[in-house]
Amino acid sequence: MRIFIVDIMPIYLAFLHSIPETAILVSLGLVLIGIKPALARILLVAFLTSLASFFIRTLPLSPGINVFLQLPILITLLAYICRLPVTYAVIASFVGLISLGITETMLNFIIFALTGIPVQQALSNDLWRILFPLPEFLILVGIIFGLIRYDITIFDVQSVLETERTIDNEDKQFK
């Protein structure tokens, strides 16, 4: 018999933790693929994805499975609300998720080294669950602003789109 752990997240944690984290994930993913995010749309995507996350976390699922259910919701909302092609929404979501995961892992290690508070202990206390990711959130917001300011991307989908348009126009001229 398998016992599934239900991670009941109080509604206030959905607002104080999930919405900022999702907004950062989406913004980071978009900026890294060369799309400047519109804050109102990002916040709407983050709110709706976090709301879905709140309900998904009430399901009796194995730990970590919730991410596989939330990701298609995030991609769909990102494509629809931000008016992006689905491929760009998928790339932005995965780039954001991977970047957030790597940064979170590194910063959790640093926070543990500085404070002695392990992640498991922080997750077991609602106040620490809110405060523990704040340094990570602040650093990532700073990174996002830096990426925007210095126009740094890892894969500029805008230039790929322009290149495709140029090739299409050249093909039409030769026909």
Side-chain angles (χ1 to χ4, degrees), residues 111-125:
I111 291 170
F112 172 70
L114 293 174
T115 65
I117 301 170
V119 175
Q120 296 80 5
Q121 186 177 358
L123 291 177
S124 67
N125 180 309

Side-chain angles (χ1 to χ4, degrees), residues 55-68:
F55 291 110
I56 289 170
R57 287 175 182 265
T58 63
L59 300 173
L61 302 170
S62 296
I65 297 297
N66 61 317
V67 174
F68 295 110

Side-chain angles (χ1 to χ4, degrees), residues 47-166:
F47 173 76
L48 293 174
T49 303
S50 297
L51 192 60
S53 170
F54 174 76
F55 291 110
I56 289 170
R57 287 175 182 265
T58 63
L59 300 173
L61 302 170
S62 296
I65 297 297
N66 61 317
V67 174
F68 295 110
L69 296 175
Q70 290 169 223
L71 200 54
I73 294 169
L74 174 65
I75 291 167
T76 303
L77 290 170
L78 190 56
Y80 181 73
I81 292 171
C82 293
R83 297 183 186 125
L84 293 173
V86 174
T87 53
Y88 292 1
V90 169
I91 294 169
S93 298
F94 278 101
V95 166
L97 182 64
I98 292 167
S99 301
L100 183 74
I102 291 169
T103 307
E104 187 173 307
T105 301
M106 290 185 323
L107 291 174
N108 283 347
F109 178 76
I110 292 168
I111 291 170
F112 172 70
L114 293 174
T115 65
I117 301 170
V119 175
Q120 296 80 5
Q121 186 177 358
L123 291 177
S124 67
N125 180 309
D126 286 347
L127 178 62
W128 285 3
R129 197 170 182 173
I130 294 168
L131 297 177
F132 197 78
L134 285 181
E136 171 194 349
F137 290 172
L138 293 173
I139 289 168
L140 284 170
V141 167
I143 289 171
I144 290 166
F145 283 130
L147 293 170
I148 291 170
R149 177 166 167 71
Y150 296 106
D151 200 26
I152 298 171
T153 63
I154 59 170
F155 177 71
D156 190 354
V157 294
Q158 300 292 339
S159 66
V160 171
L161 186 61
E162 289 171 16
T163 303
E164 288 174 358
R165 285 185 189 151
T166 304

